[in-house]
Amino acid sequence: MKKKKIIFILGSGRCGTYSFHKAFEKIKNIESHHEFFFEPTLRLATLYRMKKISKDRVKSFIYENHYNSFKNSKHEIWVNSCNALPWISNILVEIFPNAKYVHLVRSGRKVVSSFYNKFNDLMYKKENLIILDKFLNKKIRTISSEKKYWRPTPIDKQEYSHFIKKGQFYRNCWYWSEINKKIENSIAKSKNNILFKFENIHKKKKLDELISFFEISKSNQKIFYNSFKSPANVAIPKNFYFNKLQNKTFIKECGNDMKKYGYNVDEDYEIIY
């Protein structure tokens, strides 16, 4: 067997990670995962981001789970598309220096809207944040690993207070900005990394660049192309648009990052299948 390769698709969630998983899943020599060992990974990653556990503990967890899954795979390529790993992506780069890393970004307008309107109970609901805060400050002894509790928040007390008061929509904006910054800064230290905008999925030249980066064989390229002809993982088939206050909040919190990634801050980008 050829030397095995590993690929990490890192994104915010609601940005196309599942679509990439489904595309890879159709190729015989690839073992594809979407959010491998997700809830335990998200819990651990949040604790690390909040400075509650050590880097060594994270490394032990990654070796025990992700590394062993990769090591024991019978396939030539092992892939994980995930929104929990970004918070520990700096450690991933240390453990897997030869892996290929994709920073998968999608317009914050789409990601924030999707989380806020379609996954409202899972993303930064105040009642769940209060429970997490009590656990982190040892006011309660245990907490479920359900993903609704496990999202990073500001560590500074004043910043956290502001974070809570500003409301759930603001918190989703903060999340999109912070997680993309974390991915960008971490994988910049790797040998093999690329930024890909999900809106470019139907631009052949851009997809060709990505296929070349993945080193997908010619015989499998058509399979990969065809995988993106229809949407995947659409929770509610409806578009939600910002109201005036939400638009103002989004531009203030995410405007600079939108511009950095080449987006118009006022445009609602659509992917036409």
Side-chain angles (χ1 to χ4, degrees), residues 133-197:
D133 185 63
K134 287 181 178 179
F135 175 76
L136 294 176
N137 289 290
K138 300 182 179 180
K139 294 179 180 178
I140 56 175
R141 294 181 62 186
T142 60
I143 181 175
S144 166
S145 288
E146 293 170 88
K147 58 185 175 182
K148 66 181 180 179
Y149 299 116
W150 293 98
R151 302 289 176 179
T153 65
I155 297 172
D156 179 82
K157 289 184 178 180
Q158 283 189 323
E159 289 182 18
Y160 177 75
S161 179
H162 176 76
F163 182 76
I164 293 296
K165 289 177 182 177
K166 291 289 285 185
Q168 191 172 359
F169 180 84
Y170 165 87
R171 294 192 285 271
N172 279 276
C173 292
W174 179 91
Y175 168 82
W176 181 83
S177 180
E178 287 297 310
I179 198 167
N180 281 298
K181 286 174 186 173
K182 178 62 178 177
I183 298 168
E184 181 180 356
N185 292 335
S186 294
I187 71 172
K189 300 170 185 176
S190 72
K191 297 177 183 178
N192 302 300
N193 69 83
I194 192 171
L195 170 72
F196 187 81
K197 293 164 64 175

Side-chain angles (χ1 to χ4, degrees), residues 36-126:
F36 174 80
F37 210 45
F38 181 70
E39 289 189 345
T41 302
L42 181 61
R43 179 179 181 129
L44 182 107
T46 301
L47 288 170
Y48 177 72
R49 169 75 174 189
M50 303 295 291
K51 298 183 178 181
K52 296 296 182 180
I53 59 173
S54 68
K55 179 185 285 190
D56 285 343
R57 182 172 168 187
V58 176
K59 282 186 173 182
S60 295
F61 176 88
I62 294 296
Y63 274 114
E64 182 178 347
N65 298 288
H66 300 71
Y67 177 81
N68 276 320
S69 178
F70 163 65
K71 179 183 175 182
N72 296 323
S73 175
K74 304 301 182 183
H75 296 75
E76 292 179 17
I77 302 174
W78 189 95
V79 182
N80 186 17
S81 306
C82 190
N83 71 64
L85 288 174
W87 304 114
I88 51 174
S89 50
N90 59 310
I91 300 175
L92 276 186
V93 172
E94 290 183 20
I95 295 174
F96 303 103
N98 297 315
K100 292 180 182 290
Y101 295 90
V102 178
H103 179 186
L104 182 60
V105 67
R106 189 176 187 182
S107 166
R109 297 183 74 89
K110 282 296 182 186
V111 174
V112 170
S113 176
S114 184
F115 275 133
Y116 183 73
N117 291 290
K118 300 179 183 182
F119 295 88
N120 190 271
D121 288 341
L122 297 179
M123 288 298 291
Y124 290 105
K125 203 159 190 176
K126 185 177 179 180

Side-chain angles (χ1 to χ4, degrees), residues 228-248:
F228 296 101
K229 288 187 174 181
S230 59
N233 200 25
V234 179
I236 301 173
K238 179 182 177 181
N239 289 318
F240 294 88
Y241 301 102
F242 296 164
N243 60 36
K244 288 184 179 180
L245 180 58
Q246 289 172 342
N247 193 57
K248 184 178 180 180

